Structure formats: structure tokens, C-alpha cells
């Protein structure tokens, strides 16, 4: 199965001249931003969007004015009534029109300015799916319990699929039609896991690129506590067993 693990340090990204220019890509590049009460982080996230990258904020029932703020800051906003991370990502993907689509969390833990390095790997034909492998900038960015939980799930995916994936992180890039053709059904936090499993089964070339991981703004929706992390790991391993 043609799966590769080529993690790179973000300090050693390709020269900017070698990165994909959205102007050279028909339809540009869309960035799906699943969002639930992220008003405090949105200004920074949207200000870090590279030129030519079109943000699509998939609002999943925010009550803090996130949707209105995102519109005021120039983002496209999609209202997602079905609750769940996967539901938000899928709605954003359906709203996207560009051939290449990125996904990034909206809590300021990841910097959209790093997206061109991932996009270039896809547009150059070196990979079908590029995952951002999180490298915390401080110990507070990624609590130990959350890091261990992610490692447990990633190890289960490696055993199941034979991949070299070390992080099921929320920053990723692929082609829009390929993502839709995977037929991902999970609409909650199991979405990234199902994506990688189905992509691996489909023979996708999957790579990882190191990205900086900052302390998030606001409270984590899933892994903010050790108990929340344990529940997420339990549910995700159950999802892994159910997948064909």
C-alpha cells in the first residue's frame, strides 16, 4: 500500500517560491474551519489566512457571535444544524468549490499561515493527503493526557492500516472530489480517524508535515480533561473496529 511518512520541521519548509500559488490553481484554495464558540480566536485565525486562501467557517451552533464575527471579517459562513465536528467539516466541504481543500481548527492552536507548505505537496503530486503532525511550542499546548490519547489511537490506525501516521491532527489537505468520494459517514469526532482509514484502504499516498501547535484559545470541546480524552479514545477505537 503506497503510504509514506515524511514529517518535516516547519522551520525547514520549502522556499516560498516553490509553494503553490493559488492564482495558478483554477478555483483557488478553500479552507474549511469547523467552529463552535470560537469568537475569541477567530480574528487571529482569519488574519493568518494566506493570500488567495478562501476561509469557509462551518458554524456548528455557536452562541457567542462567532458566525456574525466571521462574516464581518470577510469569511464565508455555513450554518450547520447537525451537531458534531464531522458534521461541520462535511458541510464545509460541500460548500467548498476549489479543487484543493484544507481543514484547520478555529481555536488558534494551529496557524493557517503554514498551510501552503502542505498544499504544495498535494499540488505537486507527491501525496494525496497531507496531515499536519502537531509539534507543541510549549508543554501547555498539548496536555500529556491528550497527547497520550492521540498516540494510542494513531498506533491502532498504524496496526490496522499499515500507515506511518503518528498524529490524527486537525490540519490536513487533499483534493475535494477525492474526499467526497471516500464516503465518510462519521459526523462526530471520529471523522479524522475514518478519513485516514478509508484513504489508506483506497491506496492513497499519505504524508505528514510538522506544524507548530500552540495553546488553544478557550476550552477544548473533547480532550480538555483526562476523562474527556479517555472517552474519546474509547469511542474512536470502537469506531475503528466497526469500519470495514
Amino acid at each position: 500500500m503506497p503510504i509514506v511518512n515524511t514529517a518535516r520541521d516547519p522551520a525547514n519548509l520549502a522556499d516560498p517560491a516553490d509553494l503553490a500559488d493559488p492564482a495558478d490553481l483554477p478555483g483557488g484554495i478553500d479552507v474549511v474551519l469547523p467552529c463552535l464558540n470560537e469568537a475569541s480566536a477567530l480574528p487571529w485565525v482569519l488574519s493568518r489566512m494566506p493570500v488567495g486562501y478562501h476561509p469557509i467557517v462551518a458554524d456548528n451552533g455557536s452562541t457567542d457571535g462567532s458566525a456574525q464575527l466571521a462574516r464581518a471579517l470577510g469569511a464565508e459562513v455555513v450554518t450547520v444544524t447537525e451537531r458534531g465536528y464531522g458534521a461541520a467539516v462535511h458541510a464545509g466541504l460541500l460548500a467548498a468549490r476549489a479543487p484543493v481543500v484544507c481543514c484547520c481548527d478555529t481555536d488558534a492552536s494551529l496557524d493557517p499561515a503554514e498551510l501552503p507548505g502542505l498544499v504544495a505537496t498535494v499540488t505537486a503530486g507527491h501525496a494525496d493527503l497531507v496531515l499536519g503532525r502537531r509539534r507543541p511550542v510549549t508543554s501547555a499546548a498539548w496536555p500529556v493526557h491528550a497527547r497520550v490519547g492521540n498516540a494510542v489511537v494513531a498506533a491502532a490506525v498504524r496496526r490496522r492500516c499499515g500507515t506511518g501516521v503518528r498524529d490524527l491532527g486537525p490540519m490536513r489537505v487533499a483534493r475535494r472530489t477525492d474526499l467526497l468520494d471516500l464516503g465518510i459517514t462519521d459526523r462526530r469526532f471520529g471523522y479524522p480517524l475514518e478519513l485516514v482509514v478509508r484513504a489508506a484502504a483506497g491506496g492513497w499516498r499519505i504524508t505528514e508535515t510538522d506544524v507548530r501547535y500552540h495553546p488553544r484559545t478557550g476550552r477544548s470541546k473533547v480532550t480538555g480533561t483526562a476523562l474527556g480524552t479517555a472517552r474519546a479514545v474509547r469511542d474512536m477505537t470502537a469506531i475503528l473496529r466497526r469500519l470495514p
Side-chain angles (χ1 to χ4, degrees):
M1 192 174 295
I3 298 174
V4 188
N5 180 19
T6 57
R8 297 179 298 151
D9 188 289
N12 298 316
L13 291 175
D15 186 279
D18 297 329
L19 301 182
D21 185 344
D24 297 333
L25 300 173
I29 297 169
D30 286 333
V31 183
V32 174
L33 299 165
C35 177
L36 176 60
N37 294 328
E38 302 290 5
S40 57
L42 272 169
W44 185 85
V45 171
L46 294 176
S47 74
R48 300 291 294 172
M49 201 64 56
V51 174
Y53 284 58
H54 174 65
I56 301 174
V57 173
D59 188 70
N60 204 203
S62 296
T63 58
D64 67 347
S66 289
Q68 296 88 335
L69 177 59
R71 288 191 186 95
L73 293 172
E76 178 180 350
V77 176
V78 177
T79 300
V80 187
T81 56
E82 181 183 1
R83 295 299 290 268
Y85 172 84
V89 172
H90 184 66
L93 186 60
L94 291 177
R97 295 167 293 279
V100 175
V101 177
C102 312
C103 186
C104 182
D105 271 0
T106 323
D107 58 10
S109 61
L110 295 164
D111 188 349
E114 294 193 42
L115 284 171
L118 282 67
V119 169
T121 303
V122 172
T123 57
H126 299 315
D128 304 303
L129 172 65
V130 182
L131 304 171
R133 183 175 177 180
R134 291 169 287 183
R135 296 299 192 187
V137 298
T138 70
S139 58
W142 203 356
V144 172
H145 59 80
R147 197 179 310 187
V148 170
N150 178 77
V152 169
V153 175
V157 171
R158 290 197 300 275
R159 290 193 298 270
R160 164 72 181 273
C161 305
T163 73
V165 170
R166 297 283 172 176
D167 184 13
L168 298 176
M171 180 180 277
R172 51 188 175 271
V173 177
R175 296 190 178 275
R176 178 178 178 273
T177 54
D178 291 345
L179 288 169
L180 290 173
D181 288 345
L182 283 179
I184 301 170
T185 60
D186 194 284
R187 294 294 179 261
R188 296 178 67 81
F189 51 78
Y191 182 97
L193 183 151
E194 184 178 352
L195 189 161
V196 172
V197 171
R198 290 189 181 276
W204 285 30
R205 295 165 300 164
I206 303 172
T207 70
E208 289 183 320
T209 292
D210 288 353
V211 294
R212 298 178 183 89
Y213 194 48
H214 305 266
R216 62 160 290 138
T217 299
R219 181 177 177 275
S220 172
K221 310 298 189 304
V222 178
T223 58
T225 66
L227 180 58
T229 297
R231 287 172 174 168
V233 170
R234 178 197 64 195
D235 292 350
M236 291 182 80
T237 52
I239 290 169
L240 191 60
R241 289 193 294 269
R242 291 199 302 268
L243 288 174

